[in-house]
Amino acid sequence: MFIPRKELPMALPLADQNQEFDIVTDHRLLVMKFGGTSVGTEAAMRQVVLIITAAQQDWPRLVVVTSALSGVTDLLIQSAIRAAHGDLTTFNQAAAELNERHLNMVSALVTDPHRQGQARLEICRLLADFNNLCQAIHVLGEATPRALDAVASLGERMSVRILAAAIEDSHLPAQPVEATQLILTDDRFQNALPDMKATTRLACQVLSPMLENGLIPVVTGFIGATPEGLVTTLGRGGSDFTASILGVALQASEVWIWTDVDGIMTADPHLVSEACSLPVLSYREVAEMAHFGAKVLQPRSIYPVIEAGIPVRVCNTFNPTHPGTRLVADKSSNSHGTVKAMAALRGLKLVTISGRGMLGVPGVAGRIFSAAATTGVSIPLIIESTSEQTICFAVPREMVQDVLQALHRDLHQEFERRDIDQAYASEDIDIITLVCPGLRSTPGIAGQIFGRLGSAGINVLAISYGASDISLNLVVSAGDTQSALQALHALTVQD
């Protein structure tokens, strides 16, 4: 027998409010991930419980992934690093702060005495582990990547206990689950990658029985484990990555990422007051924005679900009725030929290398970037003159001196022969990236962009265009960035 899906008590963003299903054979699964700000306070976590309660009425199977409370992971890591340098004061202060913050959350959110006592006991045990780890790091005088992962994992391991207990206190069956039981990774500590075949097997073994019995698993984001059982972390965007990995492993119907903004915006609202939410973005579009400074999803973190064709939605915990932004593998956009969104990568300088002896000499560019790579710098933008006499590239301003020293060290013969005349750094610059579907095929859009900037009196220092068919990168003086974004935002036209 088919009946309409039940309406949610809150107007949460649903893929299709009119879909019908068979109660007996409905195996739809939703994975929801909540970020640190979403669980950072008592009020925020209460809101999360309300969202989960509403979603549970519509989705027969529900998996929740949570980050650590906001600020906790940074505090844990800083304490461990300071302990390695002989400072135990920071660690002791952090331990007291973490104890008070987490136990106060338990007291405020969990009323059942037994459940509250169990959560408090487990949090105290985890903080004892923190104490032991920092003491060991202090004795060794070194915070290895392996040790830092063990410390960093404690934030999520505490938060799942609180959230699961709070859900149960709202009369829904929930169970905290550490992702070390689910996600098998390599041993690249601090930036581990999952073994998806083994992870799929483990996730199904552990989570499927819970889901069949009506339990809501509350899973730690950000962490996994090696085959030997050593804790690893998944790097930047790790909790989103966890949700993505589990979504694929469990063949989820959808994955929702809950954060503190109304989806992904056309621009940074702190810089452009007219910025608005984007209803739909393709994976390529969000990847361009993320690479060039937009505070959106890390592209790697959502790649598994995008590749699997699982819809992803970015929602606002504090405005749950807003539809947010839906991410899709590809999109035929009605906004071809218009600027769809923009982002700014800030805090950069341009390093310029020039010399008449570089003309036509094989391997010079390779040696330049090999020298820069020895500093560990990440280079977001490279521009070369057609004569090959000048190459410039952007680097974070705090890395400029290291890069210049490396260039003079590794290319000293070229400098002595005057094949390279000079290497120098510019003033502070920012890179503005404009996402524009159909950029190559639409005459006049580049003219509109530069016309807007010219009318605003903004000089463009460099351009990167052609490497991507959906984005244009502009280098401007750091002092002109906000004015440039405001001038260009008027070109955005939403579907």
Side-chain angles (χ1 to χ4, degrees):
M1 180 179 67
F2 288 84
I3 62 171
R5 285 166 61 175
K6 293 180 293 184
E7 294 292 329
L8 288 172
M10 302 168 60
L12 294 174
L14 298 176
D16 181 3
Q17 292 276 8
N18 298 315
Q19 181 181 343
E20 296 185 339
F21 67 97
D22 190 318
I23 295 177
V24 177
T25 61
D26 186 4
H27 296 291
R28 291 175 305 110
L29 169 66
L30 172 65
V31 176
M32 295 203 298
K33 175 263 174 178
F34 294 92
T37 54
S38 296
V39 294
T41 65
E42 297 167 16
M45 195 172 283
R46 288 185 195 280
Q47 178 70 7
V48 167
V49 173
L50 288 174
I51 290 170
I52 293 168
T53 301
Q56 191 270 340
Q57 295 183 41
D58 190 74
W59 293 86
R61 298 192 298 166
L62 184 63
V63 175
V64 173
V65 175
T66 183
S67 299
L69 309 190
S70 55
V72 166
T73 301
D74 287 343
L75 183 57
L76 289 166
I77 292 173
Q78 290 167 9
S79 299
I81 292 172
R82 296 293 293 272
H85 290 88
D87 173 15
L88 285 180
T89 301
T90 299
F91 146 64
N92 286 319
Q93 291 173 344
E97 179 183 335
L98 292 169
N99 182 72
E100 180 180 8
R101 184 176 178 188
H102 287 83
L103 294 186
N104 284 346
M105 291 273 280
V106 172
S107 298
L109 295 167
V110 184
T111 58
D112 178 80
H114 175 73
R115 192 176 295 123
Q116 185 183 108
Q118 184 64 31
R120 294 172 69 90
L121 182 66
E122 293 183 8
I123 287 169
C124 289
R125 177 180 60 79
L126 290 167
L127 288 173
D129 290 345
F130 176 50
N131 176 77
N132 293 335
L133 285 165
C134 284
Q135 293 286 355
I137 289 169
H138 172 68
V139 171
L140 293 172
E142 181 183 9
T144 64
R146 172 178 164 180
L148 287 175
D149 274 4
V151 171
S153 72
L154 295 169
E156 273 75 9
R157 294 167 68 191
M158 288 188 286
S159 68
V160 292
R161 267 83 180 176
I162 300 173
L163 182 54
I167 294 170
E168 285 202 295
D169 220 55
S170 295
H171 310 294
L172 289 177
Q175 182 171 329
V177 181
E178 297 198 5
T180 51
Q181 304 174 52
L182 312 174
I183 299 177
L184 193 70
T185 74
D186 58 21
D187 60 358
R188 295 173 58 192
F189 296 100
Q190 299 190 294
N191 196 28
L193 289 173
D195 177 338
M196 283 304 300
K197 184 176 180 180
T199 294
T200 297
R201 174 175 50 81
L202 288 170
C204 290
Q205 285 177 355
V206 175
L207 298 182
S208 293
M210 296 182 190
L211 294 167
E212 292 302 320
N213 289 324
L215 282 171
I216 299 174
V218 182
V219 182
T220 53
F222 184 52
I223 67 176
T226 67
E228 295 75 28
L230 300 175
V231 176
T232 58
T233 61
L234 302 176
R236 183 183 171 193
S239 292
D240 294 340
F241 201 11
T242 301
S244 184
I245 292 166
L246 295 180
V248 172
L250 298 170
Q251 298 182 349
S253 303
E254 295 190 25
V255 173
W256 295 356
I257 306 296
W258 292 88
T259 181
D260 57 359
V261 293
D262 291 336
I264 299 171
M265 311 290 282
T266 52
D268 185 343
H270 296 101
L271 299 176
V272 180
S273 59
E274 297 83 7
C276 56
S277 298
L278 290 156
V280 182
L281 271 179
S282 72
Y283 174 78
R284 291 184 63 209
E285 290 166 346
V286 76
E288 289 287 336
M289 292 178 67
H291 181 66
F292 286 101
K295 295 180 180 179
V296 294
L297 299 173
Q298 176 72 0
R300 184 188 77 158
S301 69
I302 60 167
Y303 179 74
V305 283
I306 294 294
E307 188 178 46
I310 298 172
V312 179
R313 194 179 291 273
V314 182
C315 312
N316 189 349
T317 302
F318 308 102
N319 186 18
T321 61
H322 193 283
T325 301
R326 186 165 55 90
L327 306 181
V328 296
D330 199 4
K331 176 171 180 285
S332 298
S333 175
N334 295 328
S335 60
H336 276 203
T338 62
V339 176
K340 188 170 184 178
M342 57 192 67
L345 185 59
R346 314 201 71 180
L348 305 170
K349 288 180 182 286
L350 281 179
V351 172
T352 300
I353 301 174
S354 61
R356 285 166 292 184
M358 294 168 57
L359 177 62
V361 179
V364 171
R367 295 190 62 200
I368 289 171
F369 294 114
S370 292
T374 63
T375 68
V377 71
S378 177
I379 297 174
L381 184 71
I382 301 167
I383 301 172
E384 182 179 11
S385 68
T386 54
S387 67
E388 298 181 344
Q389 294 186 66
T390 303
I391 295 174
C392 67
F393 54 93
V395 297
R397 60 180 172 227
E398 65 271 14
M399 297 289 293
V400 165
Q401 292 307 313
D402 291 342
V403 170
L404 290 174
Q405 289 173 9
L407 291 171
H408 281 281
R409 180 192 67 228
D410 291 2
L411 300 169
H412 65 277
Q413 292 182 346
E414 284 80 358
F415 279 101
E416 289 176 358
R417 293 196 303 262
R418 299 302 301 272
D419 290 340
I420 297 177
D421 295 322
Q422 58 182 338
Y424 60 93
S426 71
E427 63 187 273
D428 286 354
I429 59 96
D430 296 330
I431 299 173
I432 294 176
T433 294
L434 304 176
V435 174
C436 178
L439 184 61
R440 288 183 183 176
S441 58
T442 306
I445 184 62
Q448 294 180 48
I449 290 169
F450 292 109
R452 287 272 179 181
L453 293 174
S455 298
I458 295 167
N459 188 35
V460 178
L461 306 177
I463 304 165
S464 174
Y465 173 48
S468 167
D469 61 356
I470 62 168
S471 69
L472 170 67
N473 303 309
L474 311 172
V475 177
V476 300
S477 175
D480 289 334
T481 299
Q482 184 166 5
S483 298
L485 289 170
Q486 290 172 341
L488 293 169
H489 193 266
L491 295 174
T492 62
V493 176
Q494 303 312 311
D495 294 353

